Structure formats: C-alpha cells, structure tokens
Amino acid sequence: MKMSDTAIRIRNYHLDGYGHVNNARYLEFLEEARWHFFERHNLLAGLGGISILVARADIRYLRPATEGNTLLIRSRIRTLEPGRTVICQTATLAHNGKTAVQADITVVPVSDGRGTCFPPDVYNLLQQLQNRQP
C-alpha cells in the first residue's frame, strides 16, 4: 500500500443481496478516500468558509468486491481549473491488484450556495499535487 492509498475492509453490512458490495456503497468508499486525500495533503485548512461539493460522479464498476476483501483506493488529480477539479479514483482489490472500480469525481468549491474558485493557496497545492503525479 502506498501513502496515497486509502484501505477499506469490506464487511458483511457493505454487501447487497447478491453478496457483493452494493454500487451505492462505492460512493461512500470513494468519499472516505477523498477526505483522506484532502486531509493528508492539508487541503482543508486553507478553505476558510468554502465547501467542496461533488458536481459529477462517473463510475465504472469492473469487478465485484466481497466480504473480507480489502479495497485500496488511490486518489489523484486528473484535471484542475480554478473553479473545479476532477479527481480520478481507482479501487483495487488488495489480494490480486485487479481494479474493482474506476471513477472520475468532479468537485467544485462553493461559498454561500454559489460556485466559486479555490482559494489561491489551495489551488497552488492542487497544482503541485497534479504535477507530482506519475
């Protein structure tokens, strides 16, 4: 596991009637991984009164995860603009390295219920993260 990964252990309450992780649960897992990403890179401290909201979620479900599996979720900046960023998230099965889910999540900064731009310090940090990625 790399420092940029978030590990999620699959429990039986994550499963649907078919015995695998329900599609809606993946949204929660991806959100948890984004929060870890934001915290790990100190992105939340510079937001002030600005919230980060999901504007779009494009998720591809490639293979099931079941009870006892561990998902490793890697988050990275795909694209960045002053008023939005797309975070690419990949959830792989720890036991075999195969991708279970691939997602592009568009997040936007919002202040007083309206879209705004990222504060300069946060935008600069996001740029640095994007530039450091493989």
Side-chain angles (χ1 to χ4, degrees):
M1 183 167 96
K2 295 184 178 182
M3 184 185 164
S4 60
D5 292 346
T6 299
I8 307 264
R9 178 113 170 123
I10 305 303
R11 312 282 182 199
N12 72 346
Y13 66 89
H14 295 136
L15 307 180
D16 61 17
Y18 298 108
H20 55 72
V21 174
N22 181 278
N23 64 313
R25 281 287 185 172
Y26 281 107
L27 290 169
E28 295 173 8
F29 297 163
L30 296 171
E31 182 175 28
E32 180 67 23
R34 282 192 309 280
W35 277 100
H36 284 166
F37 179 81
F38 295 149
E39 289 170 343
R40 187 177 304 119
H41 298 294
N42 203 29
L43 293 164
L44 299 174
L47 288 175
I50 294 175
S51 301
I52 302 292
L53 302 179
V54 172
R56 179 181 173 143
D58 178 18
I59 304 173
R60 289 162 299 287
Y61 303 96
L62 303 172
R63 55 184 47 81
T66 58
E67 184 176 359
N69 290 157
T70 296
L71 291 173
L72 300 178
I73 303 174
R74 177 161 299 138
S75 303
R76 64 182 183 82
I77 305 297
R78 180 180 297 283
T79 62
L80 176 63
E81 297 174 21
R84 72 182 192 107
T85 187
V86 176
I87 301 172
C88 176
Q89 295 185 278
T90 304
T92 59
L93 297 162
H95 68 279
N96 64 14
K98 293 186 178 183
T99 301
V101 169
Q102 175 71 44
D104 286 329
I105 308 294
T106 304
V107 297
V108 296
V110 174
S111 178
D112 296 324
R114 302 183 66 121
T116 188
C117 291
F118 291 105
D121 289 346
V122 172
Y123 187 77
N124 290 336
L125 279 171
L126 289 167
Q127 278 184 315
Q128 291 171 23
L129 288 170
Q130 185 180 30
N131 292 335
R132 279 191 278 173
Q133 297 171 156

